Amino acid sequence: MIIGVSYDLLRWEEKDIITEAKKSGFKAIPIFTKDFYSAIGVGENYSELEADVIIQRNTSHARALTTSLIFEGWNYNVVNDATSLFKCGNKLYTLSLLAKHNIKTPRTIVTFSKDKAVDLAKKIGFPAVIKPIEGSWGRMVAKAVDEDILYSFLEYQEYTTSQFRQIYLVQEFVKKPNRDIRIFVMGDEAPVGIYRVNERNWKTNTALGARALPLKIDDELRDLALKVRDIMGGFFLGIDIFEDPERGYLVNEVNGVPEYKNTVRVNNFNVSSYLLNKLREWIKK
Amino acid sequence: MVLLKCPICGNDVNVPDDSLPGEIVEHECGAQLEVFNSNGKLALRLAEQVGEDWGE
Ligand SMILES: [Zn+2]
């Protein structure tokens, strides 16, 4: 099997995929997207690239989405494909798809006016969380304890460069324990996950210093993760789940290019090799 | 090892032979460097700043 690895920054994960692919006797072809180009309709393509499957690992969402689109246009199998990356990358798209399929999420309001946002936020109660429609690693996510602060955050957002800066997304602050759940789906399995624990900061991104602890996946979590995968599409997903004391599991976000260094470390579970095996099964079908 | 020049301080930087473009190299001058392919040879340039669309 020939594995293309589409990437812009060679992180631990990308190196590990390449190493594990070689160990399994696969050929790994790194595709550094900053050197990459595409021509459409000029009789030139990237056909010298031989790959049974291309794993999409770009750190930049724009590069990930764009290169997945191009590879798919050339009929490669791409994990994840552009459509599922788009669904995951846009939080509003994620939330509305989940809601449509009766998956519980944090209560969320979306408005095009700051006044209306503050008005509606009173209904879901304070503290409230403001977050950009697109964005990662907890950037620009803020907790507003009252109306004044919420209004200030909404104003600040307008001065960002986000193309969605005049769309206001406000979420309830879920009274979860000082942790959340990250569970990984690969193909039709959800074999591994972690708790992300942060005693000091309410944000549980490991990029912001949260600790990873092994997670035991029960049937409810596994079923939920696989249901989310059916809704979102894609082959390799990282699903973020909150534990709400009253409502149970709430799906917060879905990641289309998940990082898993800490998951491998604390679970002693080889994510790259598992993913590669799952891909081989899929390609054979 | 391949001997490359730091584009910031001009000093030598040793990079493993099997380095790939996109690999990040920290250098003693404090610069964060990125390996890239310059006409078939490995070279170093200043690494890209974290973009606002970066991350999982
Ligand atoms: Zn230097």
Side-chain angles (χ1 to χ4, degrees):
Chain A
M1 188 166 72
I2 307 174
I3 311 279
V5 182
S6 166
Y7 73 98
D8 49 12
L9 188 70
L10 199 72
R11 295 170 289 184
W12 181 89
E13 284 83 354
E14 291 73 44
K15 281 190 212 168
D16 195 54
I17 290 172
I18 293 169
T19 311
E20 289 299 327
K22 287 179 184 162
K23 269 192 210 164
S24 306
F26 303 149
K27 191 173 168 194
I29 301 176
I31 307 166
F32 183 50
T33 51
K34 291 182 188 174
D35 285 345
F36 179 80
Y37 64 91
S38 163
I40 295 172
V42 294
E44 195 181 350
N45 65 32
Y46 207 61
S47 59
E48 70 262 35
L49 173 69
E50 263 185 64
D52 298 303
V53 61
I54 298 176
I55 303 180
Q56 183 53 266
R57 291 297 312 171
N58 275 278
T59 315
S60 150
H61 292 308
R63 275 192 290 257
L65 188 63
T66 313
T67 46
S68 274
L69 272 175
I70 294 167
F71 297 139
E72 284 169 64
W74 291 337
N75 274 315
Y76 289 101
N77 298 303
V78 189
V79 166
N80 287 324
D81 61 283
T83 306
S84 53
L85 288 179
F86 183 63
K87 289 175 186 170
C88 294
N90 184 300
K91 293 186 180 111
L92 183 51
Y93 200 172
T94 305
L95 290 167
S96 57
L97 277 174
L98 294 176
K100 181 178 162 186
H101 293 90
N102 300 314
I103 301 283
K104 284 180 281 181
T105 67
R107 296 186 188 99
T108 305
I109 56 167
V110 179
T111 75
F112 302 91
S113 121
K114 296 193 286 295
D115 290 322
K116 195 76 190 161
V118 172
D119 237 28
L120 288 168
K122 287 186 215 162
K123 287 194 182 162
I124 59 173
F126 287 96
V129 175
I130 171 172
K131 52 168 74 169
I133 299 257
E134 288 186 343
S136 296
W137 288 343
R139 278 186 305 267
M140 295 296 292
V141 176
K143 181 169 79 172
V145 292
D146 61 33
E147 289 169 45
D148 284 347
I149 290 175
L150 178 60
Y151 199 85
S152 307
F153 286 151
L154 295 165
E155 273 187 334
Y156 278 122
Q157 181 181 296
E158 285 186 323
Y159 291 94
T160 64
T161 53
S162 158
Q163 59 172 323
F164 297 105
R165 61 187 171 274
Q166 279 165 334
I167 303 167
Y168 310 103
L169 192 150
V170 181
Q171 249 178 6
E172 72 171 311
F173 180 74
V174 176
K175 289 168 196 68
K176 56 185 165 67
N178 58 6
R179 65 182 191 191
D180 71 1
I181 288 169
R182 156 64 63 93
I183 182 162
F184 291 86
V185 169
M186 287 174 264
D188 50 5
E189 307 272 355
V192 70
I194 49 169
Y195 287 113
R196 300 185 303 181
V197 184
N198 204 333
E199 284 97 4
R200 283 185 295 275
N201 190 330
W202 61 280
K203 292 185 193 177
T204 43
N205 305 74
T206 44
L208 300 175
R211 281 186 305 129
L213 291 176
L215 164 76
K216 190 164 174 352
I217 297 167
D218 59 19
D219 290 345
E220 189 187 357
L221 264 181
R222 181 184 302 107
D223 291 350
L224 177 61
L226 294 177
K227 200 169 170 199
V228 168
R229 186 249 166 162
D230 288 343
I231 296 164
M232 302 296 288
F235 194 94
F236 180 32
L237 301 173
I239 303 171
D240 293 348
I241 298 170
F242 292 158
E243 298 155 280
D244 181 84
E246 278 110 46
R247 285 167 290 168
Y249 294 132
L250 306 179
V251 178
N252 184 44
E253 284 180 22
V254 183
N255 300 279
V257 184
E259 288 160 355
Y260 51 88
K261 188 169 134 190
N262 294 312
T263 304
V264 169
R265 183 174 52 81
V266 303
N267 283 292
N268 198 17
F269 182 96
N270 192 329
V271 172
S272 301
S273 139
Y274 193 95
L275 174 65
L276 289 163
N277 285 328
K278 278 288 170 195
L279 287 170
R280 180 165 51 186
E281 277 174 28
W282 177 54
I283 296 302
K284 273 187 186 160
K285 274 178 198 164
Chain B
M1 286 294 207
V2 195
L3 195 63
L4 301 176
K5 283 259 179 288
C6 171
I8 308 303
C9 68
N11 285 331
D12 291 343
V13 187
N14 265 309
V15 173
D17 298 304
D18 59 353
S19 290
L20 288 173
E23 201 148 338
I24 298 298
V25 180
E26 307 276 353
H27 190 223
E28 55 212 359
C29 72
Q32 220 193 17
L33 306 171
E34 175 194 60
V35 176
F36 76 109
N37 186 327
S38 168
N39 298 315
K41 280 191 197 143
L42 293 182
L44 292 170
R45 65 187 171 199
L46 198 59
E48 189 184 350
Q49 293 290 306
V50 172
E52 75 170 15
D53 74 331
W54 279 25
E56 54 173 19

